Amino acid sequence: MDTAVRPATVRTRVTVPLEFPDWYATTAEVFTFTGLADGREHLALALGEWRSALDGGVPLVRPHSECLTGDVFGSQRCDCGPQLREAVERIAGEGGFLLYLRQEGRGIGLYAKLDAYALQDSGLDTYEANLALGRGEDERDYSAAAQMLRALGADRIRLLSNNPDKALQLDALGVQVVGRVPTGVHLTEENAAYLSAKVSHTHHTLALPA
């Protein structure tokens, strides 16, 4: 994380109607950017009355790391797909931004994430599996997210996330997190161990049943 990242600028803005498999629909203003610190093609989806949230309040923001298996294919091994669906509706209701960040597998990439899944099948948790591959427990960097928010004029936000590291990084990068809003608990039989590891290892704010 580079706390002195240079400013980014908005590259393109386009209106995209959204519809989810459960028929929930809304419209997003999708922004692309020039000058992002990691050079990746991250997106910001402006939802609901986002202009009013910027002008007269504090927008609700979720930095959502890409998860092809969960977001697209509905994998039950994580809670990413349900969190994405929940975030879009909640942000659309209050006004704010969903940042779709191309940081698959906590930043280690799609193939490595699937390699980590294979190790989890042998008994390692999600963090232990990343380390066993010679990678960091969580390699995600929110420098680009901070650049995107500042380019959109959102230097004060309410953060829709269970992950305390996101708040710490964004604060250090000059985006003031004035409140943290947890997402719901999307527990399945297949992701129970994964969610438990997030609570015990990185102190995610998930109210899991005993």
Side-chain angles (χ1 to χ4, degrees), residues 31-53:
F31 291 82
T32 66
F33 299 87
T34 299
L36 295 179
D38 58 10
R40 296 178 180 175
E41 294 183 330
H42 307 296
L43 300 176
L45 279 67
L47 297 160
E49 298 297 324
W50 60 274
R51 296 177 188 84
S52 297

PDB file of all heavy atoms in Angstrom, residues 31-53:
ATOM      1  N   PHE A  31     -18.215   3.910 -13.917  1.00  0.00           N
ATOM      2  CA  PHE A  31     -17.060   4.763 -14.175  1.00  0.00           C
ATOM      3  C   PHE A  31     -15.814   3.905 -14.387  1.00  0.00           C
ATOM      4  O   PHE A  31     -15.579   2.932 -13.657  1.00  0.00           O
ATOM      5  CB  PHE A  31     -16.800   5.688 -12.983  1.00  0.00           C
ATOM      6  CG  PHE A  31     -17.838   6.746 -12.778  1.00  0.00           C
ATOM      7  CD1 PHE A  31     -19.020   6.463 -12.108  1.00  0.00           C
ATOM      8  CD2 PHE A  31     -17.632   8.046 -13.235  1.00  0.00           C
ATOM      9  CE1 PHE A  31     -19.986   7.444 -11.907  1.00  0.00           C
ATOM     10  CE2 PHE A  31     -18.578   9.031 -13.037  1.00  0.00           C
ATOM     11  CZ  PHE A  31     -19.761   8.737 -12.372  1.00  0.00           C
ATOM     12  N   THR A  32     -15.013   4.290 -15.385  1.00  0.00           N
ATOM     13  CA  THR A  32     -13.666   3.751 -15.532  1.00  0.00           C
ATOM     14  C   THR A  32     -12.682   4.888 -15.263  1.00  0.00           C
ATOM     15  O   THR A  32     -13.060   6.055 -15.230  1.00  0.00           O
ATOM     16  CB  THR A  32     -13.433   3.162 -16.935  1.00  0.00           C
ATOM     17  OG1 THR A  32     -13.469   4.225 -17.902  1.00  0.00           O
ATOM     18  CG2 THR A  32     -14.496   2.132 -17.277  1.00  0.00           C
ATOM     19  N   PHE A  33     -11.406   4.514 -15.085  1.00  0.00           N
ATOM     20  CA  PHE A  33     -10.432   5.490 -14.583  1.00  0.00           C
ATOM     21  C   PHE A  33      -9.104   5.389 -15.330  1.00  0.00           C
ATOM     22  O   PHE A  33      -8.742   4.342 -15.871  1.00  0.00           O
ATOM     23  CB  PHE A  33     -10.183   5.257 -13.087  1.00  0.00           C
ATOM     24  CG  PHE A  33     -11.420   5.406 -12.253  1.00  0.00           C
ATOM     25  CD1 PHE A  33     -12.269   4.324 -12.061  1.00  0.00           C
ATOM     26  CD2 PHE A  33     -11.759   6.629 -11.697  1.00  0.00           C
ATOM     27  CE1 PHE A  33     -13.432   4.462 -11.306  1.00  0.00           C
ATOM     28  CE2 PHE A  33     -12.919   6.771 -10.947  1.00  0.00           C
ATOM     29  CZ  PHE A  33     -13.749   5.687 -10.755  1.00  0.00           C
ATOM     30  N   THR A  34      -8.396   6.495 -15.314  1.00  0.00           N
ATOM     31  CA  THR A  34      -7.028   6.571 -15.816  1.00  0.00           C
ATOM     32  C   THR A  34      -6.092   6.879 -14.647  1.00  0.00           C
ATOM     33  O   THR A  34      -6.421   7.708 -13.797  1.00  0.00           O
ATOM     34  CB  THR A  34      -6.901   7.684 -16.871  1.00  0.00           C
ATOM     35  OG1 THR A  34      -7.763   7.384 -17.976  1.00  0.00           O
ATOM     36  CG2 THR A  34      -5.454   7.805 -17.374  1.00  0.00           C
ATOM     37  N   GLY A  35      -4.944   6.201 -14.614  1.00  0.00           N
ATOM     38  CA  GLY A  35      -3.936   6.512 -13.613  1.00  0.00           C
ATOM     39  C   GLY A  35      -4.041   5.726 -12.330  1.00  0.00           C
ATOM     40  O   GLY A  35      -3.464   6.129 -11.312  1.00  0.00           O
ATOM     41  N   LEU A  36      -4.736   4.583 -12.349  1.00  0.00           N
ATOM     42  CA  LEU A  36      -4.835   3.780 -11.132  1.00  0.00           C
ATOM     43  C   LEU A  36      -3.491   3.143 -10.799  1.00  0.00           C
ATOM     44  O   LEU A  36      -2.742   2.724 -11.687  1.00  0.00           O
ATOM     45  CB  LEU A  36      -5.917   2.714 -11.281  1.00  0.00           C
ATOM     46  CG  LEU A  36      -7.344   3.246 -11.424  1.00  0.00           C
ATOM     47  CD1 LEU A  36      -8.330   2.096 -11.593  1.00  0.00           C
ATOM     48  CD2 LEU A  36      -7.739   4.130 -10.248  1.00  0.00           C
ATOM     49  N   ALA A  37      -3.198   3.056  -9.526  1.00  0.00           N
ATOM     50  CA  ALA A  37      -1.862   2.690  -9.058  1.00  0.00           C
ATOM     51  C   ALA A  37      -1.408   1.326  -9.551  1.00  0.00           C
ATOM     52  O   ALA A  37      -0.226   1.128  -9.832  1.00  0.00           O
ATOM     53  CB  ALA A  37      -1.828   2.732  -7.531  1.00  0.00           C
ATOM     54  N   ASP A  38      -2.330   0.360  -9.656  1.00  0.00           N
ATOM     55  CA  ASP A  38      -1.928  -0.995 -10.040  1.00  0.00           C
ATOM     56  C   ASP A  38      -2.151  -1.296 -11.516  1.00  0.00           C
ATOM     57  O   ASP A  38      -1.865  -2.395 -11.983  1.00  0.00           O
ATOM     58  CB  ASP A  38      -2.644  -2.034  -9.175  1.00  0.00           C
ATOM     59  CG  ASP A  38      -4.167  -1.934  -9.269  1.00  0.00           C
ATOM     60  OD1 ASP A  38      -4.670  -1.196 -10.142  1.00  0.00           O
ATOM     61  OD2 ASP A  38      -4.845  -2.586  -8.459  1.00  0.00           O
ATOM     62  N   GLY A  39      -2.691  -0.328 -12.269  1.00  0.00           N
ATOM     63  CA  GLY A  39      -2.879  -0.509 -13.700  1.00  0.00           C
ATOM     64  C   GLY A  39      -3.997  -1.454 -14.090  1.00  0.00           C
ATOM     65  O   GLY A  39      -4.136  -1.797 -15.267  1.00  0.00           O
ATOM     66  N   ARG A  40      -4.809  -1.885 -13.133  1.00  0.00           N
ATOM     67  CA  ARG A  40      -5.889  -2.832 -13.438  1.00  0.00           C
ATOM     68  C   ARG A  40      -7.172  -2.105 -13.832  1.00  0.00           C
ATOM     69  O   ARG A  40      -7.328  -0.909 -13.586  1.00  0.00           O
ATOM     70  CB  ARG A  40      -6.142  -3.744 -12.236  1.00  0.00           C
ATOM     71  CG  ARG A  40      -4.964  -4.634 -11.891  1.00  0.00           C
ATOM     72  CD  ARG A  40      -5.253  -5.478 -10.662  1.00  0.00           C
ATOM     73  NE  ARG A  40      -4.136  -6.338 -10.314  1.00  0.00           N
ATOM     74  CZ  ARG A  40      -4.105  -7.100  -9.236  1.00  0.00           C
ATOM     75  NH1 ARG A  40      -5.130  -7.123  -8.395  1.00  0.00           N
ATOM     76  NH2 ARG A  40      -3.051  -7.846  -8.981  1.00  0.00           N
ATOM     77  N   GLU A  41      -8.096  -2.842 -14.423  1.00  0.00           N
ATOM     78  CA  GLU A  41      -9.336  -2.260 -14.920  1.00  0.00           C
ATOM     79  C   GLU A  41     -10.444  -2.384 -13.871  1.00  0.00           C
ATOM     80  O   GLU A  41     -11.403  -3.133 -14.013  1.00  0.00           O
ATOM     81  CB  GLU A  41      -9.735  -2.928 -16.237  1.00  0.00           C
ATOM     82  CG  GLU A  41      -8.745  -2.642 -17.361  1.00  0.00           C
ATOM     83  CD  GLU A  41      -9.168  -3.238 -18.689  1.00  0.00           C
ATOM     84  OE1 GLU A  41      -9.861  -4.290 -18.698  1.00  0.00           O
ATOM     85  OE2 GLU A  41      -8.816  -2.651 -19.730  1.00  0.00           O
ATOM     86  N   HIS A  42     -10.327  -1.613 -12.798  1.00  0.00           N
ATOM     87  CA  HIS A  42     -11.345  -1.580 -11.761  1.00  0.00           C
ATOM     88  C   HIS A  42     -12.515  -0.698 -12.210  1.00  0.00           C
ATOM     89  O   HIS A  42     -12.346   0.213 -13.018  1.00  0.00           O
ATOM     90  CB  HIS A  42     -10.766  -1.015 -10.467  1.00  0.00           C
ATOM     91  CG  HIS A  42      -9.525  -1.701  -9.990  1.00  0.00           C
ATOM     92  ND1 HIS A  42      -9.496  -3.024  -9.597  1.00  0.00           N
ATOM     93  CD2 HIS A  42      -8.248  -1.241  -9.829  1.00  0.00           C
ATOM     94  CE1 HIS A  42      -8.273  -3.353  -9.206  1.00  0.00           C
ATOM     95  NE2 HIS A  42      -7.493  -2.294  -9.354  1.00  0.00           N
ATOM     96  N   LEU A  43     -13.692  -0.951 -11.638  1.00  0.00           N
ATOM     97  CA  LEU A  43     -14.896  -0.189 -11.958  1.00  0.00           C
ATOM     98  C   LEU A  43     -15.504   0.399 -10.696  1.00  0.00           C
ATOM     99  O   LEU A  43     -15.446  -0.207  -9.628  1.00  0.00           O
ATOM    100  CB  LEU A  43     -15.942  -1.097 -12.615  1.00  0.00           C
ATOM    101  CG  LEU A  43     -15.568  -1.799 -13.915  1.00  0.00           C
ATOM    102  CD1 LEU A  43     -16.707  -2.719 -14.334  1.00  0.00           C
ATOM    103  CD2 LEU A  43     -15.257  -0.793 -15.013  1.00  0.00           C
ATOM    104  N   ALA A  44     -16.134   1.557 -10.857  1.00  0.00           N
ATOM    105  CA  ALA A  44     -16.983   2.116  -9.799  1.00  0.00           C
ATOM    106  C   ALA A  44     -18.411   2.171 -10.327  1.00  0.00           C
ATOM    107  O   ALA A  44     -18.650   2.737 -11.406  1.00  0.00           O
ATOM    108  CB  ALA A  44     -16.513   3.508  -9.400  1.00  0.00           C
ATOM    109  N   LEU A  45     -19.342   1.571  -9.594  1.00  0.00           N
ATOM    110  CA  LEU A  45     -20.758   1.626  -9.942  1.00  0.00           C
ATOM    111  C   LEU A  45     -21.429   2.605  -8.995  1.00  0.00           C
ATOM    112  O   LEU A  45     -21.503   2.368  -7.787  1.00  0.00           O
ATOM    113  CB  LEU A  45     -21.410   0.249  -9.815  1.00  0.00           C
ATOM    114  CG  LEU A  45     -21.221  -0.735 -10.980  1.00  0.00           C
ATOM    115  CD1 LEU A  45     -19.760  -1.161 -11.107  1.00  0.00           C
ATOM    116  CD2 LEU A  45     -22.126  -1.950 -10.806  1.00  0.00           C
ATOM    117  N   ALA A  46     -21.886   3.733  -9.552  1.00  0.00           N
ATOM    118  CA  ALA A  46     -22.627   4.716  -8.770  1.00  0.00           C
ATOM    119  C   ALA A  46     -24.094   4.316  -8.778  1.00  0.00           C
ATOM    120  O   ALA A  46     -24.693   4.131  -9.843  1.00  0.00           O
ATOM    121  CB  ALA A  46     -22.438   6.106  -9.351  1.00  0.00           C
ATOM    122  N   LEU A  47     -24.671   4.177  -7.583  1.00  0.00           N
ATOM    123  CA  LEU A  47     -26.013   3.611  -7.442  1.00  0.00           C
ATOM    124  C   LEU A  47     -26.912   4.530  -6.640  1.00  0.00           C
ATOM    125  O   LEU A  47     -26.459   5.221  -5.721  1.00  0.00           O
ATOM    126  CB  LEU A  47     -25.923   2.247  -6.754  1.00  0.00           C
ATOM    127  CG  LEU A  47     -25.145   1.164  -7.512  1.00  0.00           C
ATOM    128  CD1 LEU A  47     -24.697   0.067  -6.565  1.00  0.00           C
ATOM    129  CD2 LEU A  47     -26.006   0.591  -8.627  1.00  0.00           C
ATOM    130  N   GLY A  48     -28.209   4.493  -6.962  1.00  0.00           N
ATOM    131  CA  GLY A  48     -29.181   5.285  -6.212  1.00  0.00           C
ATOM    132  C   GLY A  48     -28.917   6.778  -6.340  1.00  0.00           C
ATOM    133  O   GLY A  48     -28.379   7.256  -7.343  1.00  0.00           O
ATOM    134  N   GLU A  49     -29.290   7.513  -5.308  1.00  0.00           N
ATOM    135  CA  GLU A  49     -29.105   8.975  -5.311  1.00  0.00           C
ATOM    136  C   GLU A  49     -27.689   9.314  -4.856  1.00  0.00           C
ATOM    137  O   GLU A  49     -27.480   9.953  -3.830  1.00  0.00           O
ATOM    138  CB  GLU A  49     -30.152   9.615  -4.397  1.00  0.00           C
ATOM    139  CG  GLU A  49     -31.580   9.384  -4.834  1.00  0.00           C
ATOM    140  CD  GLU A  49     -31.858  10.007  -6.203  1.00  0.00           C
ATOM    141  OE1 GLU A  49     -31.305  11.083  -6.489  1.00  0.00           O
ATOM    142  OE2 GLU A  49     -32.641   9.411  -6.968  1.00  0.00           O
ATOM    143  N   TRP A  50     -26.729   8.896  -5.646  1.00  0.00           N
ATOM    144  CA  TRP A  50     -25.324   9.046  -5.245  1.00  0.00           C
ATOM    145  C   TRP A  50     -24.880  10.508  -5.246  1.00  0.00           C
ATOM    146  O   TRP A  50     -24.040  10.892  -4.441  1.00  0.00           O
ATOM    147  CB  TRP A  50     -24.429   8.192  -6.129  1.00  0.00           C
ATOM    148  CG  TRP A  50     -24.460   8.509  -7.593  1.00  0.00           C
ATOM    149  CD1 TRP A  50     -25.345   8.011  -8.515  1.00  0.00           C
ATOM    150  CD2 TRP A  50     -23.576   9.373  -8.302  1.00  0.00           C
ATOM    151  NE1 TRP A  50     -25.069   8.517  -9.749  1.00  0.00           N
ATOM    152  CE2 TRP A  50     -23.982   9.356  -9.653  1.00  0.00           C
ATOM    153  CE3 TRP A  50     -22.483  10.166  -7.937  1.00  0.00           C
ATOM    154  CZ2 TRP A  50     -23.342  10.087 -10.651  1.00  0.00           C
ATOM    155  CZ3 TRP A  50     -21.831  10.898  -8.911  1.00  0.00           C
ATOM    156  CH2 TRP A  50     -22.261  10.867 -10.245  1.00  0.00           C
ATOM    157  N   ARG A  51     -25.434  11.316  -6.127  1.00  0.00           N
ATOM    158  CA  ARG A  51     -25.064  12.738  -6.131  1.00  0.00           C
ATOM    159  C   ARG A  51     -25.508  13.417  -4.841  1.00  0.00           C
ATOM    160  O   ARG A  51     -24.767  14.207  -4.252  1.00  0.00           O
ATOM    161  CB  ARG A  51     -25.674  13.443  -7.334  1.00  0.00           C
ATOM    162  CG  ARG A  51     -25.172  12.950  -8.681  1.00  0.00           C
ATOM    163  CD  ARG A  51     -25.875  13.663  -9.818  1.00  0.00           C
ATOM    164  NE  ARG A  51     -25.549  13.087 -11.115  1.00  0.00           N
ATOM    165  CZ  ARG A  51     -26.149  12.035 -11.636  1.00  0.00           C
ATOM    166  NH1 ARG A  51     -27.105  11.404 -10.944  1.00  0.00           N
ATOM    167  NH2 ARG A  51     -25.818  11.577 -12.825  1.00  0.00           N
ATOM    168  N   SER A  52     -26.721  13.113  -4.402  1.00  0.00           N
ATOM    169  CA  SER A  52     -27.219  13.692  -3.149  1.00  0.00           C
ATOM    170  C   SER A  52     -26.384  13.215  -1.976  1.00  0.00           C
ATOM    171  O   SER A  52     -26.108  13.979  -1.037  1.00  0.00           O
ATOM    172  CB  SER A  52     -28.688  13.312  -2.932  1.00  0.00           C
ATOM    173  OG  SER A  52     -29.499  13.842  -3.954  1.00  0.00           O
ATOM    174  N   ALA A  53     -25.965  11.935  -2.013  1.00  0.00           N
ATOM    175  CA  ALA A  53     -25.135  11.406  -0.940  1.00  0.00           C
ATOM    176  C   ALA A  53     -23.801  12.144  -0.871  1.00  0.00           C
ATOM    177  O   ALA A  53     -23.276  12.414   0.216  1.00  0.00           O
ATOM    178  CB  ALA A  53     -24.907   9.913  -1.134  1.00  0.00           C
TER     179      ALA A  53
END
